[in-house]
Amino acid sequence: MDYASSLLGLLPGARRTPGLRDLLANVATYLPPDQVERIREAAEFGATAHKGQKRLSGEPYIAHPVAAADILADLRLDADTIVAAILHDVIEDTPIAKGELAERFGPAVAEIVDGVTKLDQIKFKNREEAQAESFRKMLLAMVRDLRVILVKLADRTHNMRTIDAMAPVRRRAIARETLEIYAPIAERLGLYKLKLELEDLGFQAAHPQRYRVLERALRRARGNQKEFLGKIAAQLRTAFGKAGIEATVETREKHLYSIYRKMQRKRSTLADIIDVYGLRIIVGSVDTTYRALGVVHSVHKPMPGRFKDYIAIPRVNGYQSLHTTLFGPNGVPIEVQIRTTDMHVVAESGIAAHWKYKAGDMSVAERERTRQWLSNLVELQGEGSSEEFLESVKVDLFPDKVYVFTPKGEILRLPRGATVVDYAYAVHTGVGNRCVAAKVDRRLAPLRTVLRNGQTVEIITAKGAMPNPAWVNFVVSAKARSAIRQYLRGLRRSEAIELGSRLLNQALAEFKSSLEEVSPATMQAALGEHGMKDRDELYEKVGLGEQLAPLIARRLLPSMPEETPSGMPPPLAVAGTEGLLVTYARCCFPIPNDPIIAYLSAGRGIVVHREDCVNVEDYRKHPEKWLPVVWEANIERQFVSQIRVDVVNKLGVLAAVAASISTTETNIDHVSIEERDSELTVLMFEVRVRDRKHLAGLMRTVRRMPDVLRVNRTIAAHSPGKARS
Ligand code: MN
């Protein structure tokens, strides 16, 4: 059947649905007999599974998937794709599960069918153009195997062919979705024939009246056009003959939907558009395309600015051709495409040509040609195999993004790896700052959950909730990261102010004074001396360790004391909740009940060490940098501590020790093996404990194990600089 004419409605009458016999004959032209048999089995299996189900048209259901498979057979796709097309509605509409498909027809078929089923579950709701674009990308991003999309497109194509059986309202919605989503996807994948058919059927169903009027007008115009183009084509054939170039010259007909869109876009009349004529010239090799171009330009003058070289720079979907527009007789523009046979194959079936290549049963010449254009494409894409080429197409098609739905059905685009928190910040900074939990596909999910394409996400916020500094470690979007950082900077500042005033009070207490007793005038003078604008700035600097509390305190006293008072100031209480400005040294891992002392680190607040930590030796050299601290009473949180366990070197001993630690209701943060020889292994555990009592209990438990030789709390001899993390 003349495909183009049937699209244009030039061949009257409905198309006969291709049946199983047609499909088997079709695949037999390019697949080996055992694969054809496999396809027949799949059809039998599908028919049994769908038994009793009917299409709206009244046909048995299996007629639909078989027809869809036939569309893919026209593209000469591999057997897995054909089988998957036959079974594409089986998971959705029958009790058959993915596992059974995998067992009977292999994992590839099961994956494709599963992918199609998942695509069917997301629905296009919004009509805006931006949404349509996002939706298309989401569909593409959701599939791991492009064959899923090919099956989906075939499914849609057959549904469009039989759309008359549907109620008019439904018909229009489906047609719109076809025009806005599926036809552009087919185009993007280079499936030119499918794209044309989807557009034509979609246009007809969405705007039946306009379609009829346009079709009639076009048919009237065709007569003259054919004659005119025939003359030009003959002229070119003669010129090619003289130049010794072997070329096929075809006339190209404009398609209804593209004419309609052009009329809308350019607000022009049908006459303006229909007066553009098209020719296609197909030659044998790449350099012949350029020679043919020269011949064409010598016969008719080219229009300036209209030449495009898609051979040197192909379109993203792999399309290659030279485009030029000629001044025809009476100045009528003639659009000309020049390409090789291989490029023509790609132009018609695009990405599907890849599986054609895989299909095996091709003539040697044909296989060589396909291999060549594939490798040509690969070359253009840089080095690599055809698989890598596909991968690069995928990267382009599936940018590094995930697409998820808001509860209202809007689509949000996030970077790949985005978590619930990224989503919350993408909705609104305020939502991000106050989020406490989330529902992903209506199920509660942790905030660090990585989102997948097509999920619906709902954020639960709470008044007074705050961002957690730990979020910075897992968010991936710039927006979330900078919002959290900004919030933390603010928080850090207020924490620094609070800590600074406590440090000053502590230093003043040594002189039996306090900030309250400092007169405004004295404060003002001290601020002026240091070039600071207010108290908060002073407290912040002290809190951050940029100014030393004892020195400032002295300046704030009514009169300078004659002598340095003896002993240390009263200790500062720490609770472990200060977070940003009070941290716990990772050389000695202090925990509540440990005697402690703190190091004042310029710009970073204070670091708490155990008094017996080797790094505290630094105290003798810089006493002004150290300050006394004590634990607050009743601390609720857990602290990280570290123990060293010497064990007999034996299989499974690490697991045994870890298991025994767990029996004391202790979480293990980290394990490492420090030393190992034939007899002894040293294990280092970082554990979370409440206090010394908890740790002591844990150490007792471990010590009782038969293969354990020694258990110690560790004090590493790190350098002081290193300890201050
Ligand atoms: Mn279907």
Side-chain angles (χ1 to χ4, degrees):
M1 172 161 48
D2 179 342
Y3 198 80
S5 344
S6 78
L7 285 186
L8 285 166
L10 294 182
L11 288 185
R15 182 191 325 251
R16 191 179 64 87
T17 302
L20 180 57
R21 205 170 304 172
D22 302 286
L23 172 64
L24 293 178
N26 199 346
V27 294
T29 62
Y30 70 98
L31 288 177
D34 60 321
Q35 295 301 322
V36 175
E37 176 56 21
R38 197 169 150 237
I39 288 163
R40 201 191 54 72
E41 275 167 27
E44 221 164 69
F45 180 83
T48 313
H50 287 295
K51 203 177 178 103
Q53 295 172 359
K54 286 231 173 350
R55 295 272 291 170
L56 282 176
S57 62
E59 290 172 292
Y61 196 89
I62 188 69
H64 159 65
V66 165
D70 189 63
I71 291 169
L72 297 173
D74 283 342
L75 289 167
R76 312 196 68 184
L77 285 167
D78 66 330
D80 278 345
T81 313
I82 305 292
V83 170
I86 294 172
L87 303 173
H88 79 263
D89 280 326
V90 153
I91 292 184
E92 176 102 22
D93 296 341
T94 80
I96 309 286
K98 186 180 168 189
E100 189 176 349
L101 285 189
E103 234 167 74
R104 276 175 175 267
F105 299 101
V109 168
E111 282 302 328
I112 297 172
V113 174
D114 189 49
V116 176
T117 310
K118 285 196 180 116
L119 280 193
D120 284 340
Q121 279 158 5
I122 60 172
K123 294 273 178 286
F124 179 63
K125 296 170 199 159
N126 200 309
R127 269 218 69 192
E128 283 161 51
E129 207 168 307
Q131 287 288 107
E133 173 67 21
S134 290
F135 195 83
R136 286 198 292 269
K137 285 186 176 159
M138 176 161 72
L139 289 187
L140 288 170
M142 274 186 73
V143 301
R144 243 172 290 145
D145 187 332
L146 273 175
R147 290 177 291 182
V148 170
I149 288 284
L150 299 179
V151 172
K152 182 65 206 166
L153 288 172
D155 172 42
R156 176 52 60 105
T157 305
H158 183 249
N159 282 337
M160 287 305 297
R161 285 182 189 169
T162 52
I163 201 168
D164 286 346
M166 265 183 208
V169 184
R170 249 331 260 130
R171 216 185 285 172
R172 215 151 282 181
I174 298 268
R176 236 170 24 215
E177 192 182 75
T178 302
L179 290 176
E180 288 173 27
I181 306 296
Y182 292 102
I185 286 179
E187 180 173 21
R188 194 73 203 272
L189 295 175
L191 300 158
Y192 188 65
K193 275 189 176 179
L194 274 193
K195 174 213 144 175
L196 282 183
E197 181 169 2
L198 287 172
E199 281 185 350
D200 192 69
L201 295 169
F203 180 36
Q204 191 173 9
H207 308 288
Q209 199 55 38
R210 281 176 246 185
Y211 181 91
R212 250 195 306 280
V213 171
L214 207 53
E215 197 225 314
R216 220 172 290 143
L218 195 60
R219 203 191 310 221
R220 269 199 303 273
R222 281 279 184 248
N224 309 329
Q225 233 183 17
K226 271 209 165 126
E227 199 184 329
F228 175 82
L229 272 177
K231 273 185 201 152
I232 307 266
Q235 215 176 4
L236 288 176
R237 277 187 206 108
T238 316
F240 285 137
K242 273 190 197 147
I245 293 173
E246 247 183 72
T248 314
V249 182
E250 295 173 351
T251 58
R252 281 191 306 127
E253 285 165 347
K254 292 267 167 192
H255 293 276
L256 272 184
Y257 187 62
S258 70
I259 290 173
Y260 171 66
R261 266 208 314 212
K262 221 175 206 175
M263 282 169 69
Q264 278 196 319
R265 215 171 35 233
K266 301 196 169 165
R267 297 177 189 225
S268 38
T269 63
L270 178 63
D272 293 340
I273 287 161
I274 212 137
D275 278 348
V276 178
Y277 297 81
L279 285 174
R280 181 180 302 128
I281 295 158
I282 297 172
V283 296
S285 69
V286 175
D287 54 287
T288 316
T289 59
Y290 292 99
R291 280 168 54 217
L293 180 74
V295 171
V296 167
H297 282 177
S298 71
V299 177
H300 293 284
K301 250 204 222 132
M303 265 186 203
R306 296 293 294 273
F307 173 68
K308 292 213 174 66
D309 188 346
Y310 292 118
I311 291 180
I313 304 164
R315 288 186 176 153
V316 272
N317 61 17
Y319 175 86
Q320 287 185 294
S321 264
L322 301 177
H323 286 191
T324 185
T325 305
L326 308 172
F327 285 110
N330 308 322
V332 174
I334 303 162
E335 290 178 354
V336 180
Q337 301 172 343
I338 306 173
R339 56 175 79 136
T340 65
T341 317
D342 301 339
M343 290 170 190
H344 188 59
V345 172
V346 181
E348 297 283 300
S349 58
I351 212 91
H354 172 71
W355 283 279
K356 249 189 198 177
Y357 170 59
K358 276 187 162 176
D361 195 40
M362 280 191 251
S363 72
V364 176
E366 196 181 1
R367 194 176 310 159
E368 181 54 23
R369 261 205 312 276
T370 5
R371 198 193 59 73
Q372 232 167 33
W373 74 252
L374 257 177
S375 66
N376 276 345
L377 286 174
V378 176
E379 245 166 64
L380 292 162
Q381 304 283 331
E383 300 297 297
S385 64
S386 61
E387 304 290 334
E388 279 164 10
F389 159 66
L390 262 192
E391 217 29 65
S392 74
V393 174
K394 273 175 101 172
V395 167
D396 182 62
L397 289 169
F398 319 160
D400 256 0
K401 300 282 186 267
V402 288
Y403 297 86
V404 293
F405 288 107
T406 68
K408 283 184 189 154
E410 281 153 29
I411 296 166
L412 272 190
R413 194 178 76 160
L414 299 167
R416 181 150 295 183
T419 60
V420 168
V421 173
D422 289 291
Y423 170 91
Y425 277 102
V427 172
H428 190 268
T429 306
V431 174
N433 283 339
R434 287 182 292 116
C435 71
V436 290
K439 284 183 179 173
V440 174
D441 287 339
R442 283 193 298 264
R443 250 186 251 148
L444 276 173
L447 290 176
R448 61 186 319 141
T449 307
V450 174
L451 297 173
R452 291 196 315 270
N453 278 303
Q455 289 181 321
T456 302
V457 188
E458 187 185 343
I459 296 293
I460 300 160
T461 58
K463 245 199 202 137
M466 295 187 304
N468 182 334
W471 292 352
V472 176
N473 300 326
F474 61 71
V475 296
V476 299
S477 60
K479 187 175 181 197
R481 193 171 304 238
S482 77
I484 296 166
R485 287 235 169 97
Q486 197 183 338
Y487 184 87
L488 291 178
R489 261 198 300 279
L491 190 68
R492 185 180 154 89
R493 180 157 191 269
S494 60
E495 232 181 67
I497 290 169
E498 205 268 336
L499 177 67
S501 71
R502 279 165 70 199
L503 287 169
L504 274 176
N505 263 326
Q506 181 198 25
L508 286 166
E510 217 180 327
F511 304 99
K512 309 265 179 306
S513 182
S514 72
L515 281 172
E516 262 175 44
E517 288 169 41
V518 175
S519 75
T522 315
M523 177 59 84
Q524 212 49 55
L527 289 176
E529 251 170 58
H530 289 92
M532 295 190 233
K533 62 177 192 303
D534 55 15
R535 280 166 181 255
D536 278 356
E537 190 179 347
L538 175 68
Y539 297 167
E540 185 189 352
K541 290 245 158 85
V542 173
L544 289 170
E546 286 166 13
Q547 295 285 339
L548 294 178
L551 297 181
I552 301 287
R554 252 168 250 195
R555 183 61 196 83
L556 293 175
L557 291 169
S559 59
M560 281 293 200
E562 295 292 302
E563 274 178 48
T564 319
S566 57
M568 295 268 265
L572 186 81
V574 295
T577 48
E578 298 86 345
L580 295 172
L581 286 162
V582 178
T583 50
Y584 297 84
R586 294 184 64 80
C587 46
C588 55
F589 295 102
I591 55 173
N593 309 2
D594 280 337
I596 47 175
I597 184 163
Y599 178 87
L600 210 52
S601 164
R604 285 199 270 168
I606 63 177
V607 184
V608 177
H609 288 260
R610 279 157 64 185
E611 261 181 22
D612 53 0
C613 174
V614 287
N615 292 321
V616 178
E617 279 169 20
D618 178 70
Y619 171 70
R620 259 178 269 135
K621 280 179 261 168
H622 305 285
E624 77 287 352
K625 291 255 184 184
W626 293 84
L627 67 136
V629 284
V630 291
W631 294 102
E632 239 169 46
N634 307 322
I635 294 174
E636 288 294 319
R637 61 162 280 201
Q638 295 198 323
F639 292 79
V640 177
S641 189
Q642 192 185 46
I643 56 167
R644 171 192 160 122
V645 185
D646 295 11
V647 293
V648 176
N649 194 359
K650 202 164 147 183
L651 203 68
V653 70
L654 170 62
V657 175
S660 108
I661 290 176
S662 309
T663 63
T664 64
E665 280 170 31
T666 309
N667 282 322
I668 300 170
D669 268 17
H670 187 250
V671 191
S672 60
I673 299 171
E674 292 293 294
E675 283 172 51
R676 180 167 233 171
D677 59 33
S678 53
E679 269 124 63
L680 180 85
T681 300
V682 177
L683 307 172
M684 306 288 266
F685 288 89
E686 277 177 30
V687 290
R688 287 187 176 262
V689 294
R690 287 181 301 279
D691 51 20
R692 277 171 81 98
K693 211 174 131 203
H694 182 180
L695 183 65
L698 172 141
M699 287 167 69
R700 248 194 324 274
T701 308
V702 175
R703 208 170 275 135
R704 278 201 294 265
M705 295 181 63
D707 295 323
V708 170
L709 306 170
R710 239 154 43 123
V711 182
N712 291 107
R713 258 185 100 179
T714 52
I715 295 192
H718 290 303
S719 71
K722 216 174 161 189
R724 230 130 270 138
S725 55

